[in-house]
Amino acid sequence: MNVHDWALITFTILVQMSVGSMWVLGTVHFFSARKYGMEEADRMSDRALLAIVPVIALGFLASLLHLGDPFNAPRAVTNITNSWLSREIFFGVVFAGLAVVFAFMQWRKLGSFGLRNVVAWLSALAGLVLVLSMSMVYMLPSQPAWNSWNTPISFFTTTFLLGVMAMGAALVANFVYEKRKNTGKTSNQLEILRATLRWISIAAIVLLGIHLIALPLYMVTLAAGSKAGLATVQLLAGSFGWYLGLRVAFLVIGAGVFAMFLYRYALSAGEEKILSTLAYAAFVMVLAAEVLGRFMFYAAHVRIGI
């Protein structure tokens, strides 16, 4: 693989994680505000929200490394009616722009809650269209390994799995900060954190199940579809077998084993230290698994024709 391929891995992983994080954080903030009030919800989510913006920036910076001349990037948007690549760039700019605007509004508490909420959900919706556009870019008849139902499913599963794991780690870090800054005033924050981590654990296990069901089905249908598809499966099972095995192991440990323990320890107070360790470890394991998966996505495909 060359630098351009690693730039694509970095771009797709970071941007998809950002989209998933926006959805997770928006959902958590909404329900936390209803139960505990806006102030407590903001204490829980504001720092996590600000962490998303640098990740988006790094993702789009990586995408520029894929271009031969980054200054030609604006021209790629001119064919938005016919090109999924143009739509990807367009909705990427919309998603990033709205996310930055919302983060600034939320940080400075500009506008009403309703207005900030509208901007947040518009950004999240643009993010979903961005992920869809990303997946459709690879639906090429000359690339059987990409031209499959598995591409959009895996992209969206990665989006939300990285989103829940990243937000789990971010919310734990935020609670640690709040506890140091406001000793004795974190009972509501702890309750929000524990409830959120339980739901994050459940979501992670469900998304892990989708990954584990889709993978063997994808390999079976790919092998039966064409000689190029069969060649890709042989690569995945042969030369890339260790990578595939590690990816599955990291997914099962991070989104399965660690998530189950995270749920268990989030049921009762007094387990903050082990919750932190589990949340961080689960995120690292899942991130490593998804990087391996995206590496194989770009490295193991076999092209039909010239």
Side-chain angles (χ1 to χ4, degrees):
M1 293 184 68
N2 54 39
V3 174
H4 288 183
D5 290 327
W6 280 109
L8 281 175
I9 291 172
T10 304
F11 165 66
T12 56
I13 289 290
L14 291 182
V15 171
Q16 287 169 20
M17 180 169 64
S18 300
V19 172
S21 297
M22 283 289 291
W23 275 92
V24 173
L25 190 60
T27 303
V28 171
H29 185 275
F30 175 78
F31 286 105
S32 298
R34 290 186 62 183
K35 186 172 183 179
Y36 299 97
M38 189 61 59
E39 183 178 349
E40 291 291 342
D42 286 349
R43 283 179 63 195
M44 180 271 303
S45 64
D46 279 0
R47 293 180 191 87
L49 172 64
L50 292 176
I52 295 175
V53 175
V55 176
I56 296 174
L58 286 173
F60 279 94
L61 180 62
S63 73
L64 294 178
L65 298 177
H66 177 66
L67 299 174
D69 183 357
F71 293 102
N72 289 329
R75 299 180 183 177
V77 189
T78 58
N79 195 26
I80 192 171
T81 56
N82 299 311
S83 168
W84 281 107
L85 179 60
S86 294
R87 293 167 193 156
E88 177 187 354
I89 296 171
F90 174 78
F91 284 105
V93 171
V94 172
F95 165 69
L98 289 174
V100 170
V101 169
F102 171 65
F104 182 75
M105 292 176 68
Q106 183 69 14
W107 179 47
R108 303 291 295 181
K109 297 300 181 281
L110 300 176
S112 65
F113 168 72
L115 177 60
R116 297 199 302 270
N117 208 34
V118 167
V119 176
W121 287 114
L122 285 175
S123 175
L125 288 171
L128 287 186
V129 182
L130 168 60
V131 175
L132 175 64
S133 301
M134 279 183 177
S135 66
M136 295 304 295
V137 165
Y138 296 98
M139 302 293 278
L140 304 171
S142 61
Q143 301 280 6
W146 294 349
N147 191 32
S148 163
W149 53 267
N150 184 66
T151 299
I153 287 178
S154 66
F155 274 31
F156 276 104
T157 306
T158 294
T159 294
F160 289 108
L161 184 55
L162 283 176
V164 296
M165 294 289 95
M167 279 300 99
L171 294 176
V172 164
N174 181 73
F175 174 77
V176 171
Y177 174 85
E178 283 287 331
K179 191 174 181 179
R180 290 175 180 171
K181 181 182 177 182
N182 300 302
T183 304
K185 299 180 181 180
T186 56
S187 58
N188 284 340
Q189 290 294 300
L190 177 56
E191 191 174 342
I192 295 172
L193 178 65
R194 286 169 48 213
T196 300
L197 290 178
R198 290 197 296 271
W199 283 108
I200 280 176
S201 302
I202 294 170
I205 292 169
V206 171
L207 291 163
L208 169 64
I210 295 173
H211 261 320
L212 295 181
I213 292 171
L215 179 60
L217 290 176
Y218 165 66
M219 294 183 72
V220 169
T221 55
L222 187 61
S226 66
K227 290 182 179 179
L230 177 60
T232 296
V233 173
Q234 290 171 338
L235 278 174
L236 290 174
S239 303
F240 293 95
W242 279 104
Y243 296 104
L244 182 60
L246 278 176
R247 186 197 178 212
V248 173
F250 287 166
L251 280 174
V252 170
I253 294 171
V257 178
F258 286 172
M260 287 190 289
F261 279 107
L262 193 63
Y263 182 91
R264 175 187 172 186
Y265 285 105
L267 288 172
S268 57
E271 305 288 355
E272 290 81 12
K273 187 173 182 179
I274 194 167
L275 281 176
S276 300
T277 302
L278 285 169
Y280 297 146
F283 169 62
V284 170
M285 294 294 284
V286 169
L287 179 60
E290 295 298 0
V291 170
L292 282 171
R294 200 55 51 86
F295 166 77
M296 289 184 289
F297 179 81
Y298 288 110
H301 65 91
V302 176
R303 182 185 180 91
I304 293 176
I306 300 175

